[in-house]
Amino acid sequence: MANHRCGSVSEEEPCCDISKKTKICLCVFFGLLVAVIIAVPVGILMWRHPLQEWKGKGTTAHFYEILLGRCYTYTQIVRPELGHKDCQKIGKAFTTAFLSKDPCSSTEQDYQPLLELTAQTVPCNKTLFWSKSSQLAHDYTRVQGDLFTLEDTLLGYMADGLKWCGDPRSSEMNYQSCPDWREDCSNNSFSVFWNAVSKRFAEDACGVVHVVLNGSISNTFDERSTFGRVEVFNLRPEKVHQLQAWVMHDVGGVHSDSCSSSSVNNLKRILKERSIAFSCQNNYGPIRLLQCVKNPEPSSCRFYV
Ligand code: N1C
């Protein structure tokens, strides 16, 4: 029957072709219709709310390029003994830790692959911590080249001063805004990173370790700071014999706190409970000298000039 109607009668062939074409046309039409029905509202939503808005500054412009550039600078020029590190892989692990994810639900686990790729040995007695004294501590390690702050290690060097976050609805970085620690959330991709790397830095420390503290602020040892909250509690008493604190006052500035102040005594108490010896010195000479080179006028610097 079918043969007779379609196969053997040549005039009927167009009839069969039309129905085939119609079917294809209908398929394409409905396919497009479904695509439009889905794409239009999603498009409108994305256009109206491209990425979530936060209170903090967005990802640093050219974040990835800076990250890679710093990785190559560090591993090829600053510490060529780390020339074997794979910067492409490190850069990828860094962005994978936060891209396409909720920037307020970041976990230390997210950064684990990155931490593994950037493992680095800091010699015993050469770790320098700091709190509210970033500039001074880094000025000091620049001249005292065998001491390491976290920013003198590969991962700290790469991330120093940068800001970053992603968005669960996009595979892009959010350059417009990122969560603010106070106003949005504390588990943000940026703060969780510093907690994780600071923890590792302290766990790895050994021998006599040092900290530069700011004696020109009232809370010289702040239990809520990364140093007070993370690093002090992650020093390993079996490896770290002593923490030596240098409490530095701004030249010509106020002397709010010193080695005998209650906040520094609090640090002493915490370390005693953790079986780590503590020593403290106000205005440690070599760092004072650096302060005075930068600012020689005040009378407290006359001794040096
Ligand atoms: O909170 P802090 O100081 O006590 O943190 C400093 C402490 C150092 O010993 C470092 O090893 O923790 C480590 N660390 C960094 O290396 C670092 N680089 C940049 C902690 N935070 C770091 N940042 C950013 O500075 C980060 O945004 C964090 O919140 C501030 C902390 O500076 P702080 O309060 O003076």
Side-chain angles (χ1 to χ4, degrees), residues 129-132 150-151 160 190 194 198 201 225-227 231:
F129 300 106
W130 52 268
S131 191
K132 313 286 184 279
L150 180 50
E151 291 69 28
D160 193 22
F190 171 77
W194 284 114
S198 302
F201 187 56
S225 67
T226 313
F227 174 68
E231 293 176 328

Side-chain angles (χ1 to χ4, degrees), residues 111-186:
Y111 288 103
Q112 216 45 50
L114 174 65
L115 289 179
E116 278 160 28
L117 287 172
T118 53
Q120 182 176 358
T121 308
V122 172
C124 287
N125 310 315
K126 300 299 177 194
T127 296
L128 179 67
F129 300 106
W130 52 268
S131 191
K132 313 286 184 279
S133 54
S134 171
Q135 182 70 47
L136 195 52
H138 294 114
D139 284 350
Y140 186 52
T141 58
R142 204 163 302 131
V143 294
Q144 192 64 44
D146 60 343
L147 279 183
F148 287 77
T149 64
L150 180 50
E151 291 69 28
D152 296 307
T153 67
L154 172 59
L155 195 48
Y157 183 89
M158 287 171 64
D160 193 22
L162 303 182
K163 198 77 195 276
W164 62 89
C165 68
D167 190 288
R169 290 176 301 180
S170 163
S171 56
E172 301 292 308
M173 301 190 202
N174 188 344
Y175 291 102
Q176 266 69 53
S177 64
C178 286
D180 177 76
W181 187 84
R182 257 176 245 284
E183 296 190 56
D184 295 308
C185 56
S186 56

Side-chain angles (χ1 to χ4, degrees), residues 207-222:
V208 177
V209 299
H210 305 90
V211 62
V212 179
L213 296 175
N214 186 342
S216 289
I217 55 172
S218 56
N219 221 8
T220 293
F221 171 66
D222 182 355

